[in-house]
Amino acid sequence: MFLERLANGVGMQNGRPVGRQWPMAAALLAAAVAFLAGLAGTGWSFADSPAPNVLIILTDDQGYGDFSCHGNPVLKTPNIDALHAESIRFTDFHVAPMCTPTRGQLLTGMDALRNGATSVTAGRSLIRRGIPTMAEAFASAGYRTGIFGKWHLGDSYPQRPMDRGFQDAVWFLGWGVSSAPEFDNDCFNTRYRRGTEIRQAPGYCTDFWFDEAMAWMRERKHRNERFFCYLPTNAPHGPLWVDAKYAAAYAKTKAADFFGMIANIDENMGRLDRMLEESGLRENTLVIFMTDNGGTAGVNTYNAGMRGRKTQYYDGGHRVPCFVRWPAGGLRGPTDISAPTQIQDLLPTLAELCEFELPETARLDGLSLATLLRDAEAQLPDRMLVVQYGQTPTAWDSCVIWDRWRLVFGKELYDIRTDPGQADDVAAKHPEVVARMRAHYEKWWAGVESRLADFEPISLGAEEENPVDLTSSDWQDIYCDNNRHVGQAVGGPRGGPWSILVERAGRYEIELRRWPFHTDCALDSAGPEQTVYGRELPPGKGLPIAAARLEVAGQSLSAKTAGAARGVRFHVDLPAGRTTMQGWFHDASGMDLCGAFYARVCRE
């Protein structure tokens, strides 16, 4: 009301305020200055105002059943259980059955097949240019934004977390410590990036991510800055490396190290909550805890009565926990909400709770859950949700969710209320339900199908990053994204092409390598032997590389080399625009051996 009166009382003419109410406006402005000055004297800041700080914790490959609060008979998670007890719990909450699509949906509020990040590799792990992200929205609303952990939505400009709205980024490449970009990294003494600067962390990765996030939040409190903190751990995703003391309690199970990694997460959740309490941040920090896909190593021990696991379209593949706590937010008390919801709902929910507008370019597939969080009598409108991801998405490879119903692959129908384990296909008994759900999917599919073959390109030659490193993780339509794949030369005799965007025409140096640049291994070697922690790596395959070939922007080049060389360099003139690039190696007889798993492109 104050600002409205001020705006109505003042006009502008020749750069000066005018209007019949200018004297009143001037008085109001003077009163505002005095009011803010008085608040400054009390230590008040915008960080203390009703709009909350926001903290999202996202664990990796932890299923719905991997919590003692969800009935796991072996695993103990007392600190997460405490958060569960204090939270509003969405008990029918859905993500993608794999991590990158889930992360893209979280940050954009859009379905994976619409935002472009449909899979973990094969050139499909990038959000399309021009789609605004959650971090950008928070930053525009005056929040300080930070990420601490696993990003997995692009390793180079303009897809790095710093390019997508995170003002502070402590992260690493690829999907984790043994991904193709990281290769010899480890959960201990982890190599990471602070922005673009490469460093090595002391101790264990999960401890480090939490340490960094907590220190950052304390600093925001000290500086009176409201914050959005995104804390996506790489645990308990494999490789299952953890201090033996955490796994010891589960030695009699087949998932001891996996459960040990979760025990370590739980310990860090306890540390985090104590920090929030001691710092005075707890009451006005909105905490969301969830996981990124269905169960993995813990499924055979306990899967909360669900069918399926990660990568699958039954509920065990995409139904995950979602806990929401905001003590000072006027939300409903701790309770379960059973309405079907999805990760795409979180962006509009946070925008409403934090009272900021999303960019006009935002196109949301989710809806705000704010009213549901505040009002016990509120209900969501009737709607259907589509769960789909994939390296090469095809029609009906999906799950459609409608209240109690699940339509899997367009033909199997399950009633979750009477059959939570999805053992009884009732499609023949309810043809009208199947018909309605199929009609919804067909309309949805028609809206995403046209761009599924349109790969988001990697930028080369931009001022913001030059040179740029490419890895086999982004080969189009080829799944080659971990150190075992690279070591065994997966991907065929020529590997695959990269989709690229040459930002500036000019002369470029392109170097092709068999092994990661940071390892400095010879072309014909078997690759790195140890991780950064000294752990033995699986042996790689040495190949008799004698020459390399490069095809880019319609040009074809070749060069001979000695196997003992580290790489093969080409110099080529590239026009600006979209194109593809592919490199591979062959032996002295000209037989193709394998793709160039790594490339470095520098505009000269």
Side-chain angles (χ1 to χ4, degrees), residues 202 204 206-216 218 268 271:
Y204 189 59
T206 305
D207 299 336
F208 176 71
W209 303 134
F210 273 84
D211 285 345
E212 288 287 315
M214 289 190 292
W216 183 83
R218 288 192 195 99
N268 277 291
R271 291 201 304 128

Side-chain angles (χ1 to χ4, degrees), residues 93-109:
F93 185 80
H94 297 268
V95 296
M98 192 174 273
C99 57
T100 285
T102 289
R103 292 157 202 272
Q105 292 178 159
L106 168 66
L107 291 178
T108 65

Side-chain angles (χ1 to χ4, degrees), residues 74 146 167 205-206 228 307 380 404 417 426 448 556 569 575:
V74 176
Q167 296 152 337
C205 58
T206 305
F228 166 52
R307 177 180 177 180
L380 293 177
R404 65 198 291 179
R417 291 183 188 172
V426 294
V448 301
S556 183
R569 295 180 181 178

